[in-house]
Amino acid sequence: MAYFYFLAAISFLPGDSWESYYDLSLRLNVLMARAANSSCRYDEAELTLQRICKRARCLQDKLPAYFLLVTIFLAQGHPNQAYATCSSILTQLGESVPETVTTETVGDMIPETLRMYSEVYGDDWLGQKMEDSTLCYIIKFYSAMACAAYFCKPSHMVAYFVCKMVQLSLQNGVCQYTPLALMQLTSIVIRIDNAAFV
């Protein structure tokens, strides 16, 4: 139902709304795409997201659309498309996303992340909110990339992206994805400990 309300709202905008009412057009289109996705209107959602990506003025304005597109890919069982989209966006945001990662690299990265955690964790860090919205999106895309990697990449790639999420949070403060990253890291460490015990 919400989808049709947003569709009606957009219909009242003038033909040049992306020029004359840019912020309103961007917000309404993002909300309409989310409503379409929530009601399983994936085709309409993708068409709206494509329009946003075409008309939005900068990458930062396109980030909500790209993230929703990744979410749709994952929901529809297309992890390779989700993974490729995340990789492309993270690269555009200045992140270095390797094609592959060795198990040795991840084996060194996990204890390094745990060391950072033991040094930083405390009330001061927990009270430090991540202010940079772009950085928050970087962590969101790493989270989606870890999810996609679970289905289409070796398991140590998932650990790599989870460590990246945790390290970014430890260095820059807490965001809404920090608890998920810490839980995922805990799961990885427990699995490694259990494997060593066996």
Side-chain angles (χ1 to χ4, degrees), residues 34-35 41 43 87 95 112 132 137 151:
R34 288 176 179 166
R41 296 176 174 273
D43 290 342
S87 179
E95 290 293 300
E112 172 64 15
D132 187 338
Y137 264 105
F151 296 102

Side-chain angles (χ1 to χ4, degrees), residues 40-172:
C40 300
R41 296 176 174 273
Y42 298 121
D43 290 342
E44 290 91 336
E46 288 191 46
L47 285 172
T48 305
L49 294 173
Q50 289 171 9
R51 181 167 57 247
I52 294 168
C53 293
K54 180 180 178 181
R55 304 301 295 271
R57 294 173 181 169
C58 62
L59 178 59
Q60 278 68 25
D61 287 349
K62 298 176 185 180
L63 293 178
Y66 278 123
F67 188 74
L68 183 54
L69 187 61
V70 168
T71 303
I72 291 172
F73 286 150
L74 289 171
Q76 292 183 321
H78 303 303
N80 287 300
Q81 288 177 270
Y83 188 94
T85 304
C86 288
S87 179
S88 173
I89 298 303
L90 285 167
T91 300
Q92 292 178 62
L93 290 171
E95 290 293 300
S96 177
V97 181
E99 288 281 332
T100 59
V101 177
T102 66
T103 54
E104 290 77 17
T105 298
V106 176
D108 293 336
M109 197 174 186
I110 291 172
E112 172 64 15
T113 305
L114 294 174
R115 183 193 62 77
M116 289 174 62
Y117 174 83
S118 65
E119 290 178 357
V120 172
Y121 184 82
D123 291 340
D124 289 342
W125 176 69
L126 288 171
Q128 181 184 347
K129 183 180 177 182
M130 191 178 292
E131 302 291 345
D132 187 338
S133 61
T134 300
L135 190 55
C136 290
Y137 264 105
I138 288 174
I139 292 179
K140 286 174 73 170
F141 278 105
Y142 271 127
S143 176
M145 202 168 189
C147 182
Y150 179 84
F151 296 102
C152 65
K153 298 291 180 181
S155 60
H156 64 274
M157 292 291 287
V158 177
Y160 174 82
F161 296 124
V162 169
C163 286
K164 289 288 288 186
M165 291 169 63
V166 172
Q167 289 184 7
L168 284 169
S169 287
L170 291 171
Q171 292 165 349
N172 299 281

